[in-house]
Amino acid sequence: MIKRYIDKLFGRKAASGKDAKPVIYGPDKHGIRRDAISKCARRTCEDLQRAGHAAFVVGGAVRDHLLGHTPKDYDVATSATPEEVRSIFRRSRIIGRRFQIVHVLCGQDVVEVSTFRALLDGEAGTDEHGRVLSDNVFGTQAEDATRRDFTVNALFFDPVKEEVWDYHHGVKDINAKRLVMIGDAAQRYREDPVRMLRAARLAAKLGLTIDAKTEAPIHAHKHLIQNVPQSRLFEEILKLLLSGNAVACTKLLRKLELHHGLLPLLDDALEDKGTGPFALAALKATDDRLREDKSVSPAFLLAALLWGRVERELRKHEDAGQPSIPALHTAMHEALDAQRESLAIPRRFDATMKELWLLQPRFLQRGGQRPYRLLEHPRFRAAYDFFELRAQSGNAPMDIAQWWDRFQHANADEREEMMVEDEAGPKKKRRRRRGKRKEEGGPPEGGAPPQDDAS
Ligand code: ATP
Ligand code: MG
C-alpha cells in the first residue's frame, strides 16, 4: 500500500536510482520456464552465479518470452567484469575496445555477456547534440536497467530462481502492449538518435503501441538521425528490413516521418505508381520468406528498393537518346551515388545489386542462344525471382515472366518450340534442324559470352 503510494508519488522515477530495488516476479507470476531459455544462456548464468556473481538473461530475450515470441538471440548481464567472465568460461573471448563484452560459446551457440553498465554522469561523454560518445563504466544492476532504452527491454530473468526482475514497470507495459522510453524520451533520443528507429522497429515487430510521451519528441528530434555514423545506421535499417515485419516497420517509419533520406523507397518510391508496388511486393516477399524460415538476400531486397530510382534514371537517359545498355550503366551508378549521399549501402552489396539490374533487360530477349545463356548465368535464379516479382507488381510483362517459368522447366524440344525471335515483331518459330538437336540433348555449348545487352 505504502509502496504503491510512493510509486505514485515518484512515478516512473521510483526505480531509477543507483541502488533502486526492482519488483521481483516469482515463477507463479510469469510464464517463463527455465527450460524455455537457450541452454547456452542458462548454463552461462548458472556458472556465473556459482562463481558468486549476479547473472541474468536480459533485454530482448526476456521481452520476447513474455510476449510469446521466440527470441533471436540471448544476452546475459552480470556483475562480473569481462576478465572474470573470461576466466570462468574456457570457450570465451573478450570483444570490443570501448565497452568490452564477452562472447561465451557452447557448441554452435554464442551468448553475449556484458557487465552491468553505469549511468552517464550529466553531460559528460556527449557531443554537442547530446549524443553519447563514451559509456564504458561499470555500474549496478539498477543503473544497467536505467540505461537501457525501453521499459520492456529492461527486464532481467534469473533462470536459476525463475524470477523476473523489473526496475521500470516493464511487465506492466508488456501486458498493456505499450512501448515506453525509460526516463525523458527527448533526452534519450538526443543521447542516441537510433532509439527513434528502434522504437519504430520494435513497435511494428512486436505489435506494441508507442506511448504518447515516447512518440511526441520524435518529430522534433528526427533530424538528429543524420549525425549517426553511416555504418550503424545501415545496420539498423537492415535489421528493420529483415525483421520479418518490414512492411509494418516501413509503414510506421513513414507515419513517424522517420523515413527521409534513409532509402529512396522510404522517401518516395512507395508512392511511385510504376515501381512502388514492386518495392512493397519485395518487402512482403521478404517477410513471407522469413516467416517460412527461408533464407533472404539483403542485396536482393536493396536492389528492389532502389529499382525505382534506377528505372527513372534509365528512362531519362534513353529519352535523351542514349542506347539502352550504356543508359542502364549510367542509371545504376547514378542511383547508387544518390543513395550514398543519404545512407551509404556498403560496397559489398554493389556487385550483386548491379548484376540483378543488368540481367533484367535480358529477360526480354527470347530468341537464338540468348535465353540459354541467361539460364546458365550463375545469378539466373535471383534475377528471375526479381523479374517475376516485377511482373506480379505490374512493372514487367506478365506473359514474359510466364514464358520464362515454362522455359526453365521445358525439355530441349519444347525450348526450341518456344523461341521468340523478336519481341517487337510477330512470333517466329526457329527452323529446326530435325533430329540434330535431339542427339545433342540440349542447347549447344559455347557461342558468344553472356552479354548485358538489352537491344
Ligand atoms: P532484437 O529482438 O532486435 O534483438 P533487442 O531489444 O534485443 O531486439 P538488441 O540490439 O539485441 O535489441 O539489444 C539488446 C538490448 O540492449 C536491448 O533489449 C536493450 O535493453 C539494450 N539496447 C540496445 N540498443 C540500445 C540503445 N540504443 N539504447 C539503450 N539500450 C539499448
Ligand atoms: Mg537482441
Side-chain angles (χ1 to χ4, degrees), residues 25-33 66 157 161-164:
Y25 295 90
D28 55 328
K29 294 284 189 302
H30 60 81
I32 313 178
R33 295 288 81 92
L66 287 172
F157 177 69
K161 293 196 184 133
E162 287 190 327
E163 288 173 348
V164 171

Side-chain angles (χ1 to χ4, degrees), residues 278 282 296-307 310-311 314 328-329 332 336 349-363 374 377-390 395 452:
F278 169 54
V296 293
S297 148
F300 182 98
L301 182 57
L302 293 167
L305 299 184
L306 291 179
W307 177 245
V310 174
E311 255 201 346
L314 172 65
L328 181 55
H329 278 273
M332 288 187 327
L336 286 172
F349 295 112
D350 279 14
T352 311
M353 289 198 293
K354 283 182 187 168
E355 215 161 20
L356 286 171
W357 293 333
L358 282 168
L359 289 173
Q360 293 308 299
R362 289 179 56 182
F363 284 93
L374 185 51
H377 193 285
R379 201 70 74 182
F380 171 79
R381 188 71 238 167
Y384 169 71
D385 288 347
F386 197 95
F387 188 81
E388 193 193 26
L389 209 54
R390 286 178 56 210
N395 180 248
D452 289 329

Side-chain angles (χ1 to χ4, degrees), residues 94-167:
I94 296 181
I95 58 164
R97 254 181 297 163
R98 217 184 57 170
F99 191 91
Q100 294 187 324
I101 59 167
V102 186
H103 276 175
V104 174
L105 293 96
C106 342
Q108 302 286 335
D109 272 0
V110 183
V111 166
E112 213 169 276
V113 182
S114 49
T115 306
F116 295 143
R117 288 192 211 186
L119 276 173
L120 281 175
D121 189 11
E123 295 295 301
T126 60
D127 70 6
E128 76 270 27
H129 307 287
R131 192 163 68 87
V132 172
L133 298 174
S134 64
D135 60 342
N136 51 355
V137 184
F138 301 142
T140 65
Q141 185 174 357
E143 285 181 290
D144 188 83
T146 305
R147 63 169 294 289
R148 292 176 184 274
D149 47 7
F150 304 104
T151 61
V152 298
N153 280 351
L155 294 164
F156 298 84
F157 177 69
D158 177 344
V160 176
K161 293 196 184 133
E162 287 190 327
E163 288 173 348
V164 171
W165 288 34
D166 183 2
Y167 289 86

Side-chain angles (χ1 to χ4, degrees), residues 58-61 63-64 71-75 198 201-202 205 239:
V58 69
R63 173 201 72 207
D64 288 352
K72 249 189 2 246
D73 43 39
Y74 284 83
D75 296 315
R198 284 178 56 84
R201 174 167 66 87
L202 293 173
K205 180 175 133 179
K239 266 196 187 177

Side-chain angles (χ1 to χ4, degrees), residues 162-274:
E162 287 190 327
E163 288 173 348
V164 171
W165 288 34
D166 183 2
Y167 289 86
H168 292 282
H169 311 277
V171 171
K172 213 164 76 186
D173 288 337
I174 280 195
N175 291 337
K177 299 226 154 201
R178 213 165 34 205
L179 193 69
V180 183
M181 182 67 83
I182 295 170
D184 176 56
Q187 188 194 331
R188 305 296 315 275
Y189 293 140
R190 280 195 295 274
E191 284 169 7
D192 181 6
V194 166
R195 289 174 184 149
M196 291 182 263
L197 298 175
R198 284 178 56 84
R201 174 167 66 87
L202 293 173
K205 180 175 133 179
L206 303 165
L208 307 178
T209 307
I210 305 179
D211 173 65
K213 278 192 187 149
T214 301
E215 183 175 333
I218 290 182
H219 188 74
H221 291 84
K222 58 179 195 247
H223 65 283
L224 294 177
I225 289 181
Q226 69 205 32
N227 302 331
V228 176
Q230 291 273 310
S231 56
R232 173 139 190 256
L233 204 51
F234 181 77
E235 224 167 80
E236 188 56 36
I237 291 297
L238 209 54
K239 266 196 187 177
L240 196 141
L241 295 175
L242 303 179
S243 66
N245 297 75
V247 173
C249 283
T250 313
K251 275 194 188 142
L252 188 51
L253 271 189
R254 288 163 58 79
K255 182 174 160 262
L256 296 170
E257 295 180 353
L258 282 171
H259 55 295
H260 294 297
L262 294 176
L263 284 173
L265 155 93
L266 309 174
D267 262 344
D268 60 11
L270 273 180
E271 274 145 34
D272 185 303
K273 286 210 167 40

